[in-house]
Amino acid sequence: MQLLHSKRRKKQNSKGDNFLFPGSVIIAFNPPIHLKSIGVIGAGTMGSGIALASALAGYDVVLNDISDAFLQRAFRNIGALMEKASEKGKLSIADANAAALRIRTSSHFEHLKTCELVIEAAVEKLETKQEIFSRLSDICSDDTIFATNTSSLSITAIASAAKKPARCVGLHFFNPAHIMKLVEIIRGYDTTDDVMYRAEGYVKQLGKVPVLAKDYPGFIVNRVARNFYGEALRIMGDGNATHEQIDRIMQGNGFAMGPFQLMDLIGIDVNFAVTESVYEQFFGESRFRPHLIQQKMVEAHLLGRKTGRGFYDYSEKKS
């Protein structure tokens, strides 16, 4: 049984062989079991997108956050996204209503205990993600799969806080999660073949494309993207071009968005945190060094679309 469009087989002989590279094959020990219930921790842009994608694919979803106010806002945003899709003819009213009924919001952590797969989409801090996995271990069954949507942190390090690291996996979605097709699946040191197989089945059920990535800083996409953002920031910082010029040139060469437009969409704070993480995990390698421009914008709370201003102004009233 092949996984992730693989062509070569890799036999699992020891713990060290648990790391699989693109092009390898995973053999699932158990027959596939279709997951029915999904938990999502974090009602921000990414968590809401994952919850929406899951509900549209037919899964029952529990969307969890620490604040009922955050959850109410997230549910309104999910409704707005489905309404926009319906207006464009991409989603029927009936399917939108059915998806909305599948999403249950809760600020109570215990309501995740019946979920078969729980995906954390919390802030990009190792300690926070480890605490979540530790708490999940206390309430969920031994068969529950814990997934992290981390952009760059070690899956193995996050999984170490769980009672069963073998049930942990990385599922890295891209923003906006309900639209973007790519999902990186990352195997931790102890992750079993069975968990990898079920994770791939879930991603495919969403209608997305699973790509196997090694548990390495930044995985595949975000490691490549550090240069995309970093060089753009350095060019602007050196005074060689404005952010508008750089974005316009990149779009003129076939990119859907330029680096500054994309940073505004993702969130400048999120992008900066990922760059910091990759830089630290590569022991200060200069090519991954964060830029002072981003740091100052984070300090000024100019975070992009979500705050109304970033490299561009998104406020309704512009002077």
Side-chain angles (χ1 to χ4, degrees):
M1 183 176 297
Q2 289 193 346
L3 192 78
L4 304 176
H5 314 294
S6 308
K7 294 182 179 179
R8 291 184 290 109
R9 178 166 298 184
K10 183 179 189 300
K11 194 172 181 180
Q12 206 175 356
N13 290 323
S14 65
K15 253 188 175 181
D17 287 335
N18 270 347
F19 292 100
L20 299 183
F21 292 81
S24 62
V25 166
I26 301 168
I27 305 300
F29 297 124
N30 299 322
I33 296 177
H34 178 65
L35 301 171
K36 297 179 180 178
S37 56
I38 308 296
V40 180
I41 300 174
T45 302
M46 185 60 72
S48 297
I50 296 171
L52 175 56
S54 300
L56 289 172
Y59 292 100
D60 293 325
V61 179
V62 177
L63 179 59
N64 172 268
D65 209 309
I66 58 175
S67 165
D68 287 326
F70 291 165
L71 291 166
Q72 291 169 7
R73 182 179 61 189
F75 198 75
R76 288 195 300 269
N77 290 340
I78 288 172
L81 289 172
M82 289 195 290
E83 184 177 354
K84 185 176 181 181
S86 296
E87 290 173 353
K88 292 182 176 181
K90 297 180 179 180
L91 180 66
S92 70
I93 298 297
D95 287 343
N97 289 336
L101 290 173
R102 294 189 193 104
I103 301 175
R104 180 162 62 100
T105 61
S106 175
S107 57
H108 299 285
F109 211 72
E110 294 74 18
H111 289 165
L112 296 164
K113 66 181 180 181
T114 59
C115 297
E116 297 164 291
L117 166 65
V118 181
I119 305 168
E120 72 78 17
V123 63
E124 190 76 351
K125 292 183 179 179
L126 178 61
E127 296 79 9
T128 300
K129 295 178 184 295
Q130 287 178 327
E131 181 184 355
I132 288 172
F133 273 28
S134 177
R135 291 183 64 192
L136 287 172
S137 295
D138 291 334
I139 65 170
C140 295
S141 75
D142 290 341
D143 293 328
T144 304
I145 297 172
F146 301 162
T148 172
N149 183 57
T150 180
S151 302
S152 61
L153 297 173
S154 166
I155 307 304
T156 301
I158 296 170
S160 69
K163 289 182 179 177
K164 288 198 169 184
R167 305 297 298 172
C168 302
V169 66
L171 287 176
H172 182 212
F173 290 78
F174 295 86
N175 192 29
H178 65 292
I179 294 176
M180 297 295 284
K181 291 295 186 182
L182 182 68
V183 179
E184 290 177 315
I185 303 180
I186 307 100
R187 182 176 198 147
Y189 187 76
D190 292 302
T191 310
T192 65
D193 289 342
D194 178 64
V195 168
M196 292 293 288
Y197 182 49
R198 297 186 195 204
E200 186 219 16
Y202 163 70
V203 171
K204 285 186 174 180
Q205 185 68 23
L206 299 184
K208 297 186 181 297
V209 179
V211 174
L212 183 64
K214 190 180 177 184
D215 190 10
Y216 209 68
F219 315 129
I220 300 172
V221 174
N222 266 322
R223 186 174 175 187
V224 172
R226 290 315 97 202
N227 293 314
F228 181 66
Y229 302 122
E231 284 302 318
L233 285 162
R234 281 187 281 272
I235 289 170
M236 184 178 75
D238 291 344
N240 292 324
T242 66
H243 64 277
E244 294 100 334
Q245 289 173 326
I246 295 168
D247 280 347
R248 192 161 56 246
I249 289 170
M250 297 307 293
Q251 287 181 295
N253 279 278
F255 284 79
M257 301 179 79
F260 298 97
Q261 293 167 322
L262 193 52
M263 281 187 276
D264 274 2
L265 175 64
I266 294 168
I268 293 169
D269 56 334
V270 174
N271 190 277
F272 183 61
V274 173
T275 302
E276 280 189 308
S277 172
V278 172
Y279 179 65
E280 290 170 3
Q281 290 182 79
F282 276 104
F283 307 105
E285 193 168 325
S286 60
R287 61 187 169 131
F288 297 118
R289 183 180 294 119
H291 202 283
L292 185 62
I293 290 174
Q294 272 193 315
Q295 179 179 317
K296 291 301 180 183
M297 293 184 75
V298 171
E299 292 171 351
H301 203 62
L302 301 175
L303 308 181
R305 289 178 181 269
K306 60 185 176 183
T307 59
R309 281 183 62 197
F311 292 103
Y312 296 90
D313 188 351
Y314 303 94
S315 59
E316 293 182 358
K317 295 182 180 178
K318 299 180 182 178
S319 56

PDB file of all heavy atoms in Angstrom, residues 162-184:
ATOM      1  N   ALA A 162       3.565  14.594  25.000  1.00  0.00           N
ATOM      2  CA  ALA A 162       2.405  13.704  25.017  1.00  0.00           C
ATOM      3  C   ALA A 162       2.763  12.374  25.682  1.00  0.00           C
ATOM      4  O   ALA A 162       3.916  11.954  25.669  1.00  0.00           O
ATOM      5  CB  ALA A 162       1.908  13.466  23.599  1.00  0.00           C
ATOM      6  N   LYS A 163       1.757  11.719  26.249  1.00  0.00           N
ATOM      7  CA  LYS A 163       1.999  10.425  26.879  1.00  0.00           C
ATOM      8  C   LYS A 163       2.328   9.363  25.833  1.00  0.00           C
ATOM      9  O   LYS A 163       3.039   8.403  26.113  1.00  0.00           O
ATOM     10  CB  LYS A 163       0.769  10.002  27.683  1.00  0.00           C
ATOM     11  CG  LYS A 163       0.564  10.818  28.950  1.00  0.00           C
ATOM     12  CD  LYS A 163      -0.638  10.341  29.744  1.00  0.00           C
ATOM     13  CE  LYS A 163      -0.796  11.163  31.025  1.00  0.00           C
ATOM     14  NZ  LYS A 163      -2.006  10.773  31.795  1.00  0.00           N
ATOM     15  N   LYS A 164       1.793   9.552  24.626  1.00  0.00           N
ATOM     16  CA  LYS A 164       2.064   8.624  23.529  1.00  0.00           C
ATOM     17  C   LYS A 164       2.566   9.401  22.315  1.00  0.00           C
ATOM     18  O   LYS A 164       1.788   9.716  21.400  1.00  0.00           O
ATOM     19  CB  LYS A 164       0.811   7.816  23.184  1.00  0.00           C
ATOM     20  CG  LYS A 164       0.448   6.768  24.222  1.00  0.00           C
ATOM     21  CD  LYS A 164      -0.493   5.734  23.639  1.00  0.00           C
ATOM     22  CE  LYS A 164      -0.662   4.537  24.566  1.00  0.00           C
ATOM     23  NZ  LYS A 164      -1.497   3.475  23.963  1.00  0.00           N
ATOM     24  N   PRO A 165       3.857   9.707  22.256  1.00  0.00           N
ATOM     25  CA  PRO A 165       4.405  10.444  21.105  1.00  0.00           C
ATOM     26  C   PRO A 165       4.175   9.729  19.776  1.00  0.00           C
ATOM     27  O   PRO A 165       4.148  10.381  18.730  1.00  0.00           O
ATOM     28  CB  PRO A 165       5.904  10.512  21.434  1.00  0.00           C
ATOM     29  CG  PRO A 165       5.984  10.365  22.911  1.00  0.00           C
ATOM     30  CD  PRO A 165       4.874   9.429  23.281  1.00  0.00           C
ATOM     31  N   ALA A 166       3.979   8.417  19.840  1.00  0.00           N
ATOM     32  CA  ALA A 166       3.749   7.656  18.617  1.00  0.00           C
ATOM     33  C   ALA A 166       2.448   8.056  17.928  1.00  0.00           C
ATOM     34  O   ALA A 166       2.264   7.803  16.730  1.00  0.00           O
ATOM     35  CB  ALA A 166       3.715   6.157  18.932  1.00  0.00           C
ATOM     36  N   ARG A 167       1.531   8.703  18.668  1.00  0.00           N
ATOM     37  CA  ARG A 167       0.240   9.111  18.114  1.00  0.00           C
ATOM     38  C   ARG A 167       0.261  10.561  17.638  1.00  0.00           C
ATOM     39  O   ARG A 167      -0.795  11.126  17.333  1.00  0.00           O
ATOM     40  CB  ARG A 167      -0.865   8.948  19.165  1.00  0.00           C
ATOM     41  CG  ARG A 167      -0.984   7.563  19.773  1.00  0.00           C
ATOM     42  CD  ARG A 167      -1.360   6.517  18.754  1.00  0.00           C
ATOM     43  NE  ARG A 167      -2.661   6.755  18.143  1.00  0.00           N
ATOM     44  CZ  ARG A 167      -3.137   6.060  17.109  1.00  0.00           C
ATOM     45  NH1 ARG A 167      -2.394   5.114  16.557  1.00  0.00           N
ATOM     46  NH2 ARG A 167      -4.336   6.314  16.625  1.00  0.00           N
ATOM     47  N   CYS A 168       1.446  11.148  17.546  1.00  0.00           N
ATOM     48  CA  CYS A 168       1.568  12.571  17.180  1.00  0.00           C
ATOM     49  C   CYS A 168       2.142  12.735  15.775  1.00  0.00           C
ATOM     50  O   CYS A 168       3.000  11.948  15.354  1.00  0.00           O
ATOM     51  CB  CYS A 168       2.446  13.303  18.190  1.00  0.00           C
ATOM     52  SG  CYS A 168       1.840  13.220  19.893  1.00  0.00           S
ATOM     53  N   VAL A 169       1.694  13.775  15.084  1.00  0.00           N
ATOM     54  CA  VAL A 169       2.111  14.000  13.701  1.00  0.00           C
ATOM     55  C   VAL A 169       2.010  15.499  13.391  1.00  0.00           C
ATOM     56  O   VAL A 169       1.277  16.232  14.061  1.00  0.00           O
ATOM     57  CB  VAL A 169       1.218  13.182  12.736  1.00  0.00           C
ATOM     58  CG1 VAL A 169      -0.217  13.695  12.753  1.00  0.00           C
ATOM     59  CG2 VAL A 169       1.778  13.149  11.327  1.00  0.00           C
ATOM     60  N   GLY A 170       2.726  15.936  12.391  1.00  0.00           N
ATOM     61  CA  GLY A 170       2.612  17.310  11.926  1.00  0.00           C
ATOM     62  C   GLY A 170       1.685  17.388  10.723  1.00  0.00           C
ATOM     63  O   GLY A 170       1.806  16.598   9.786  1.00  0.00           O
ATOM     64  N   LEU A 171       0.729  18.311  10.761  1.00  0.00           N
ATOM     65  CA  LEU A 171      -0.142  18.601   9.614  1.00  0.00           C
ATOM     66  C   LEU A 171      -0.060  20.096   9.368  1.00  0.00           C
ATOM     67  O   LEU A 171      -0.731  20.887  10.034  1.00  0.00           O
ATOM     68  CB  LEU A 171      -1.590  18.187   9.896  1.00  0.00           C
ATOM     69  CG  LEU A 171      -1.905  16.691   9.912  1.00  0.00           C
ATOM     70  CD1 LEU A 171      -3.372  16.461  10.297  1.00  0.00           C
ATOM     71  CD2 LEU A 171      -1.620  16.073   8.543  1.00  0.00           C
ATOM     72  N   HIS A 172       0.785  20.493   8.443  1.00  0.00           N
ATOM     73  CA  HIS A 172       1.017  21.913   8.202  1.00  0.00           C
ATOM     74  C   HIS A 172       0.166  22.396   7.036  1.00  0.00           C
ATOM     75  O   HIS A 172       0.462  22.139   5.869  1.00  0.00           O
ATOM     76  CB  HIS A 172       2.499  22.169   7.907  1.00  0.00           C
ATOM     77  CG  HIS A 172       2.809  23.615   7.693  1.00  0.00           C
ATOM     78  ND1 HIS A 172       3.798  24.036   6.841  1.00  0.00           N
ATOM     79  CD2 HIS A 172       2.239  24.747   8.199  1.00  0.00           C
ATOM     80  CE1 HIS A 172       3.834  25.360   6.839  1.00  0.00           C
ATOM     81  NE2 HIS A 172       2.896  25.808   7.655  1.00  0.00           N
ATOM     82  N   PHE A 173      -0.911  23.113   7.369  1.00  0.00           N
ATOM     83  CA  PHE A 173      -1.781  23.722   6.375  1.00  0.00           C
ATOM     84  C   PHE A 173      -1.224  25.089   5.985  1.00  0.00           C
ATOM     85  O   PHE A 173      -0.388  25.669   6.672  1.00  0.00           O
ATOM     86  CB  PHE A 173      -3.192  23.914   6.951  1.00  0.00           C
ATOM     87  CG  PHE A 173      -3.964  22.652   7.171  1.00  0.00           C
ATOM     88  CD1 PHE A 173      -3.710  21.844   8.274  1.00  0.00           C
ATOM     89  CD2 PHE A 173      -4.976  22.279   6.299  1.00  0.00           C
ATOM     90  CE1 PHE A 173      -4.429  20.679   8.498  1.00  0.00           C
ATOM     91  CE2 PHE A 173      -5.705  21.114   6.512  1.00  0.00           C
ATOM     92  CZ  PHE A 173      -5.429  20.308   7.612  1.00  0.00           C
ATOM     93  N   PHE A 174      -1.743  25.615   4.883  1.00  0.00           N
ATOM     94  CA  PHE A 174      -1.319  26.926   4.407  1.00  0.00           C
ATOM     95  C   PHE A 174      -2.520  27.864   4.323  1.00  0.00           C
ATOM     96  O   PHE A 174      -3.650  27.435   4.073  1.00  0.00           O
ATOM     97  CB  PHE A 174      -0.604  26.806   3.056  1.00  0.00           C
ATOM     98  CG  PHE A 174       0.686  26.036   3.160  1.00  0.00           C
ATOM     99  CD1 PHE A 174       0.695  24.655   3.079  1.00  0.00           C
ATOM    100  CD2 PHE A 174       1.885  26.693   3.388  1.00  0.00           C
ATOM    101  CE1 PHE A 174       1.879  23.937   3.218  1.00  0.00           C
ATOM    102  CE2 PHE A 174       3.074  25.982   3.522  1.00  0.00           C
ATOM    103  CZ  PHE A 174       3.065  24.600   3.432  1.00  0.00           C
ATOM    104  N   ASN A 175      -2.259  29.128   4.529  1.00  0.00           N
ATOM    105  CA  ASN A 175      -3.310  30.141   4.619  1.00  0.00           C
ATOM    106  C   ASN A 175      -3.707  30.679   3.239  1.00  0.00           C
ATOM    107  O   ASN A 175      -2.812  31.022   2.452  1.00  0.00           O
ATOM    108  CB  ASN A 175      -2.800  31.287   5.504  1.00  0.00           C
ATOM    109  CG  ASN A 175      -3.873  32.257   5.905  1.00  0.00           C
ATOM    110  OD1 ASN A 175      -5.038  31.903   6.016  1.00  0.00           O
ATOM    111  ND2 ASN A 175      -3.495  33.501   6.120  1.00  0.00           N
ATOM    112  N   PRO A 176      -5.019  30.742   2.954  1.00  0.00           N
ATOM    113  CA  PRO A 176      -6.173  30.329   3.751  1.00  0.00           C
ATOM    114  C   PRO A 176      -6.395  28.815   3.672  1.00  0.00           C
ATOM    115  O   PRO A 176      -6.437  28.245   2.575  1.00  0.00           O
ATOM    116  CB  PRO A 176      -7.332  31.105   3.126  1.00  0.00           C
ATOM    117  CG  PRO A 176      -6.905  31.361   1.708  1.00  0.00           C
ATOM    118  CD  PRO A 176      -5.410  31.460   1.715  1.00  0.00           C
ATOM    119  N   ALA A 177      -6.543  28.205   4.838  1.00  0.00           N
ATOM    120  CA  ALA A 177      -6.537  26.741   4.938  1.00  0.00           C
ATOM    121  C   ALA A 177      -7.707  26.077   4.227  1.00  0.00           C
ATOM    122  O   ALA A 177      -7.598  24.920   3.802  1.00  0.00           O
ATOM    123  CB  ALA A 177      -6.519  26.327   6.412  1.00  0.00           C
ATOM    124  N   HIS A 178      -8.817  26.763   4.090  1.00  0.00           N
ATOM    125  CA  HIS A 178      -9.976  26.147   3.428  1.00  0.00           C
ATOM    126  C   HIS A 178      -9.865  26.198   1.907  1.00  0.00           C
ATOM    127  O   HIS A 178     -10.660  25.559   1.206  1.00  0.00           O
ATOM    128  CB  HIS A 178     -11.270  26.823   3.878  1.00  0.00           C
ATOM    129  CG  HIS A 178     -11.392  28.266   3.472  1.00  0.00           C
ATOM    130  ND1 HIS A 178     -10.582  29.246   3.996  1.00  0.00           N
ATOM    131  CD2 HIS A 178     -12.211  28.885   2.578  1.00  0.00           C
ATOM    132  CE1 HIS A 178     -10.905  30.407   3.450  1.00  0.00           C
ATOM    133  NE2 HIS A 178     -11.875  30.222   2.584  1.00  0.00           N
ATOM    134  N   ILE A 179      -8.859  26.923   1.409  1.00  0.00           N
ATOM    135  CA  ILE A 179      -8.668  27.057  -0.041  1.00  0.00           C
ATOM    136  C   ILE A 179      -7.382  26.398  -0.513  1.00  0.00           C
ATOM    137  O   ILE A 179      -7.378  25.652  -1.505  1.00  0.00           O
ATOM    138  CB  ILE A 179      -8.683  28.542  -0.443  1.00  0.00           C
ATOM    139  CG1 ILE A 179     -10.069  29.154  -0.199  1.00  0.00           C
ATOM    140  CG2 ILE A 179      -8.272  28.704  -1.911  1.00  0.00           C
ATOM    141  CD1 ILE A 179     -10.149  30.638  -0.484  1.00  0.00           C
ATOM    142  N   MET A 180      -6.283  26.671   0.163  1.00  0.00           N
ATOM    143  CA  MET A 180      -4.983  26.163  -0.287  1.00  0.00           C
ATOM    144  C   MET A 180      -4.953  24.641  -0.260  1.00  0.00           C
ATOM    145  O   MET A 180      -5.364  24.008   0.718  1.00  0.00           O
ATOM    146  CB  MET A 180      -3.864  26.716   0.592  1.00  0.00           C
ATOM    147  CG  MET A 180      -3.742  28.237   0.524  1.00  0.00           C
ATOM    148  SD  MET A 180      -3.254  28.825  -1.111  1.00  0.00           S
ATOM    149  CE  MET A 180      -1.512  28.412  -1.078  1.00  0.00           C
ATOM    150  N   LYS A 181      -4.452  24.046  -1.329  1.00  0.00           N
ATOM    151  CA  LYS A 181      -4.537  22.594  -1.510  1.00  0.00           C
ATOM    152  C   LYS A 181      -3.416  21.820  -0.821  1.00  0.00           C
ATOM    153  O   LYS A 181      -3.589  20.657  -0.460  1.00  0.00           O
ATOM    154  CB  LYS A 181      -4.508  22.265  -3.008  1.00  0.00           C
ATOM    155  CG  LYS A 181      -5.753  22.708  -3.766  1.00  0.00           C
ATOM    156  CD  LYS A 181      -6.980  21.946  -3.302  1.00  0.00           C
ATOM    157  CE  LYS A 181      -8.203  22.274  -4.138  1.00  0.00           C
ATOM    158  NZ  LYS A 181      -9.402  21.552  -3.650  1.00  0.00           N
ATOM    159  N   LEU A 182      -2.267  22.443  -0.637  1.00  0.00           N
ATOM    160  CA  LEU A 182      -1.114  21.713  -0.114  1.00  0.00           C
ATOM    161  C   LEU A 182      -1.183  21.556   1.403  1.00  0.00           C
ATOM    162  O   LEU A 182      -1.531  22.486   2.123  1.00  0.00           O
ATOM    163  CB  LEU A 182       0.173  22.454  -0.488  1.00  0.00           C
ATOM    164  CG  LEU A 182       1.486  21.801  -0.057  1.00  0.00           C
ATOM    165  CD1 LEU A 182       1.716  20.512  -0.818  1.00  0.00           C
ATOM    166  CD2 LEU A 182       2.653  22.764  -0.266  1.00  0.00           C
ATOM    167  N   VAL A 183      -0.846  20.363   1.884  1.00  0.00           N
ATOM    168  CA  VAL A 183      -0.668  20.111   3.311  1.00  0.00           C
ATOM    169  C   VAL A 183       0.590  19.268   3.497  1.00  0.00           C
ATOM    170  O   VAL A 183       0.705  18.184   2.920  1.00  0.00           O
ATOM    171  CB  VAL A 183      -1.864  19.368   3.943  1.00  0.00           C
ATOM    172  CG1 VAL A 183      -1.612  19.110   5.432  1.00  0.00           C
ATOM    173  CG2 VAL A 183      -3.155  20.157   3.765  1.00  0.00           C
ATOM    174  N   GLU A 184       1.543  19.771   4.276  1.00  0.00           N
ATOM    175  CA  GLU A 184       2.735  18.998   4.588  1.00  0.00           C
ATOM    176  C   GLU A 184       2.422  18.052   5.752  1.00  0.00           C
ATOM    177  O   GLU A 184       1.869  18.476   6.771  1.00  0.00           O
ATOM    178  CB  GLU A 184       3.891  19.920   4.978  1.00  0.00           C
ATOM    179  CG  GLU A 184       4.445  20.734   3.822  1.00  0.00           C
ATOM    180  CD  GLU A 184       5.541  21.687   4.254  1.00  0.00           C
ATOM    181  OE1 GLU A 184       5.373  22.371   5.282  1.00  0.00           O
ATOM    182  OE2 GLU A 184       6.566  21.766   3.548  1.00  0.00           O
TER     183      GLU A 184
END
